[in-house]
């Protein structure tokens, strides 16, 4: 990261602050609305414990999971590499990915264009949190 020079905030830090201030709080997301929003995802993903993978991996307990870590699912090389580097799906990372998957993980096999509305993403992330019991325990 660049150092702060001449009283200016480093560009990466400024971008992070702007994103954090612009993004809705996930605690304010509505899991019931997120369950409805998940219908867009259900064509490719399941969300039940021990549910099968489809075109995309099962998303049950996604929050706190290492990226690319669903047994038996063939992830793209970029997604697998992220996991090998220690990337974990936090609510913030899920929000970024759901907004624009191909921009966040270039080379992902996910064909979905993304959800642009911050409120809808907050609801969806709140729903994913509600079906992620491992997130509370800090489990992987």
């Amino acid at each position: 990261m660049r150092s702060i020079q001449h009283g200016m905030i480093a560009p990466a830090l400024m971008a992070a602050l702007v994103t954090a201030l612009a993004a809705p709080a996930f605690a304010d997301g509505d899991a019931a609305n997120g369950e409805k929003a998940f219908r867009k995802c259900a064509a490719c993903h399941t969300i039940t414990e021990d549910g099968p993978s489809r075109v995309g991996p099962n998303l049950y307990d996604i929050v706190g999971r290492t990226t690319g870590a669903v047994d038996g699912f063939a992830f793209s090389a970029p997604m697998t590499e992220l996991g090998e580097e220690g990337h974990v799906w936090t609510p913030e990372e899920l929000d970024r990915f759901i907004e624009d998957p191909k921009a966040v993980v270039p080379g992902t096999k996910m064909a979905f264009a993304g959800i642009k509305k911050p409120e809808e993403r907050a609801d969806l992330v709140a729903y994913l949190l509600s079906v992620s019991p491992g997130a509370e325990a800090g489990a992987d």
Side-chain angles (χ1 to χ4, degrees):
M1 180 181 219
R2 294 182 211 159
S3 63
I4 298 174
Q5 296 179 12
H6 306 291
M8 298 185 69
I9 297 176
L13 179 58
M14 179 60 84
L17 287 171
V18 169
T19 300
L21 294 173
F26 301 111
D28 294 337
D30 184 314
N33 287 341
E35 185 174 12
K36 292 174 190 164
F38 187 79
R39 292 178 188 152
K40 294 177 181 180
C41 313
C44 297
H45 298 278
T46 58
I47 193 86
T48 57
E49 187 173 10
D50 298 322
S53 291
R54 293 184 179 157
V55 173
N58 179 304
L59 298 180
Y60 180 81
D61 210 14
I62 182 74
V63 180
R65 181 192 302 161
T66 300
T67 304
V70 174
D71 289 337
F73 186 78
F75 287 94
S76 64
M79 201 65 83
T80 301
E81 290 166 9
L82 274 176
E84 290 170 352
E85 294 169 1
H87 184 270
V88 173
W89 288 118
T90 64
E92 296 78 14
E93 288 296 296
L94 285 165
D95 179 61
R96 287 182 55 234
F97 186 73
I98 293 166
E99 181 178 18
D100 192 349
K102 292 191 181 297
V104 173
V105 183
T108 182
K109 294 190 292 186
M110 188 162 153
F112 186 66
I115 296 173
K116 303 306 177 206
K117 295 179 183 175
E119 299 81 13
E120 186 176 3
R121 290 194 318 273
D123 292 345
L124 184 54
V125 171
Y127 176 62
L128 294 172
L129 275 163
S130 78
V131 295
S132 292
E136 292 176 18
D140 195 21

